[in-house]
Amino acid sequence: MTVETAEDRSNLWFIQSKFREYYWGSIDEIDAPSDMERREFGFFTFNKKPVRHKSFKTIGQLRDFIKVLVPSDAYYSSAYYQKPDAETMGEKNWMGADLIFDVDCDHLPTTCKAEHDEWRCTVCGRFGRGRPPTRCPECGGERLKADMWICDKCLEATKQELLKLICILEEDFGISDREMFAVFSGHRGYHLHVESDTVKSMSSIERKEVVDYVTATGLNPVYHGVTMSERPLIGPSPADIGWGGRLARAIYTLALKTPQELKEAGVDGRLAKMIENNRGRIIEAWERGGVWASLREFAGPKTLERILSKALTFMAASVDTVVTTDIHRLIRLPTTLHGKTGLKVIAMPIHKLAAFEPLRDAIAFTEGDILVKVYKAPKIRLGGHSYGPFLDEEAVLPSAVAIFLICRNKASPL
Ligand SMILES: [Zn+2]
Ligand SMILES: [Zn+2]
């Protein structure tokens, strides 16, 4: 447990006063989720106290509540209840839930993480850049303190995962874009909400099956038309529906990538070299007998397995299982603020996703500058401009940047 200092408290007080200004000025932007009277609402206060089991009959009631409470974070239930304000799940009486997916940049291996993330072992003090390993390479300890940041590249990679997910849901599940909307969470990624009668009654186990499908968990190419034992190798056509066609398309895409693109896609060096060295032969063999026949010409069974497994990760959507399978989940309420960044949670229709730039379009505090003492921060980019890196220095920063750093406990107002 970390001890809260007087400085932490004054930072919280400062952020709360800024959040109050935002909510008093922009409260009309907060919209009601569909069927709002069936939803449970939950909040965190700036004292980190959870306020749960709230329900509101009208958008006016919800807006008034937020203006008075000024929460650090605001949520509503993906579930619909007969009595959303009852204190136990039994009494609430679950009536169904939207299907929610969470795509987060934490687990994506973006190369920029080596520039903005670092970790330190709390036992031996070993320091490293990028994503923290699961164990300290020096002492084997598991207590690593990570300092992780978001950037345009991380959030763009997250959006690409979301687009893959949307594509699978549309093509393989027949969900239309009118039944879905995307939400920028205000921090590390996006949520996808599917609101439709067909998904509402799904159990947690059924939702787990959907996650396994979109993440290609446990997927065996043999059951999707790839006959590994045949010579020449027989496989699905790129035009096929489902994972068969998706696998074939992935093989074509991988074979056409440059060595640099293969590296960014997480393809290991040996495999990338093999693809690079054989590119001419692969393309030549395609013309004779298609992608699968060409693979067998230069890839043994082991290499083939590695290529197929890479093709799967390449096409699968990286989705957090826990969020989708939790049918009582509280999910962030659009147009409220994220307490760890001061950025807005933004909901949008699917067709707006391509043009959406989170670190430009989710800025809530657009006016004025704030004098702050910054303790430590990498270079950050907000609103189209870059700031930092900072180390123990005073700076006059645009409100959004200063509030972002204070929310992350990396700066204090002076
Ligand atoms: Zn260590
Ligand atoms: Zn990044």
Side-chain angles (χ1 to χ4, degrees), residues 110 112-113 116 151 153-154:
T110 44
C112 52
K113 286 194 165 69
H116 55 64
C151 80
K153 282 184 197 158
C154 288

Side-chain angles (χ1 to χ4, degrees), residues 253-273:
T253 316
L254 277 177
L256 292 174
K257 280 190 179 299
T258 65
Q260 179 61 22
E261 286 170 333
L262 287 170
K263 191 179 162 207
E264 275 161 20
V267 176
D268 70 65
R270 260 176 62 209
L271 189 55
K273 211 174 195 104

Side-chain angles (χ1 to χ4, degrees), residues 119-127 135-144:
W119 55 269
R120 190 176 290 280
C121 173
T122 55
V123 182
C124 74
R126 169 85 181 245
F127 164 92
R135 284 168 169 280
C136 171
E138 192 76 32
C139 72
E142 288 177 28
R143 289 172 59 195
L144 304 174

Side-chain angles (χ1 to χ4, degrees), residues 300-317:
K302 277 255 145 59
T303 310
L304 188 61
E305 250 171 52
R306 276 165 58 217
I307 294 176
L308 284 171
S309 118
K310 193 39 76 183
L312 282 177
T313 33
F314 191 59
M315 297 307 262

Side-chain angles (χ1 to χ4, degrees), residues 74-299:
Y75 308 84
Y76 74 101
S77 63
S78 61
Y80 305 83
Y81 301 106
Q82 218 149 35
K83 281 190 189 163
D85 54 353
E87 303 226 338
T88 64
M89 285 304 160
E91 289 171 293
K92 282 190 200 296
N93 203 1
W94 190 85
M95 299 166 74
D98 301 329
L99 182 61
I100 310 278
F101 297 90
D102 179 32
V103 187
D104 204 299
C105 68
D106 276 18
H107 308 289
L108 300 179
T110 44
T111 48
C112 52
K113 286 194 165 69
E115 288 156 35
H116 55 64
D117 288 357
E118 55 185 53
W119 55 269
R120 190 176 290 280
C121 173
T122 55
V123 182
C124 74
R126 169 85 181 245
F127 164 92
R129 295 207 147 273
R131 284 197 303 172
T134 40
R135 284 168 169 280
C136 171
E138 192 76 32
C139 72
E142 288 177 28
R143 289 172 59 195
L144 304 174
K145 201 168 181 294
D147 189 17
M148 301 198 285
W149 295 77
I150 49 171
C151 80
D152 287 319
K153 282 184 197 158
C154 288
L155 290 171
E156 180 57 30
T158 313
K159 191 202 276 185
Q160 292 308 318
E161 292 301 313
L162 182 69
L163 291 170
K164 283 196 268 178
L165 169 68
I166 291 168
C167 195
I168 298 174
L169 292 176
E170 283 181 338
E171 286 175 5
D172 297 15
F173 290 84
I175 296 171
S176 91
D177 60 355
R178 291 185 308 281
E179 295 169 301
M180 300 186 253
F181 62 92
V183 176
F184 170 60
S185 74
H187 195 193
R188 299 184 174 282
Y190 293 86
H191 303 141
L192 185 76
H193 294 232
V194 182
E195 286 192 6
S196 120
D197 286 338
T198 35
V199 303
K200 256 184 202 170
S201 60
M202 284 170 74
S203 69
S204 183
I205 292 167
E206 288 164 333
R207 290 166 200 249
K208 174 74 169 60
E209 297 257 341
V210 176
V211 175
D212 285 350
Y213 187 88
V214 301
T215 54
T217 302
L219 189 145
N220 186 342
V222 169
Y223 300 128
H224 293 266
V226 184
T227 51
M228 308 278 272
S229 54
E230 300 286 327
R231 270 178 189 279
L233 188 68
I234 298 169
S237 144
D240 284 356
I241 54 160
W243 268 106
R246 202 166 282 119
L247 265 175
R249 293 195 294 277
I251 302 277
Y252 276 102
T253 316
L254 277 177
L256 292 174
K257 280 190 179 299
T258 65
Q260 179 61 22
E261 286 170 333
L262 287 170
K263 191 179 162 207
E264 275 161 20
V267 176
D268 70 65
R270 260 176 62 209
L271 189 55
K273 211 174 195 104
M274 204 266 309
I275 292 174
E276 178 61 15
N277 291 344
N278 289 286
R279 197 184 309 281
R281 281 172 63 199
I282 301 175
I283 292 167
E284 200 188 312
W286 280 357
E287 286 161 5
R288 289 201 308 276
V291 68
W292 299 104
S294 81
L295 269 185
R296 199 47 151 174
E297 282 187 23
F298 67 90

Side-chain angles (χ1 to χ4, degrees), residues 19 150 186-187 338-344 400 403-405 407-408:
F19 275 35
I150 49 171
H187 195 193
H338 194 300
K340 286 210 174 78
T341 59
L343 294 172
K344 270 195 273 190
I403 289 168
F404 178 78
L405 290 171
C407 281
R408 305 224 45 212

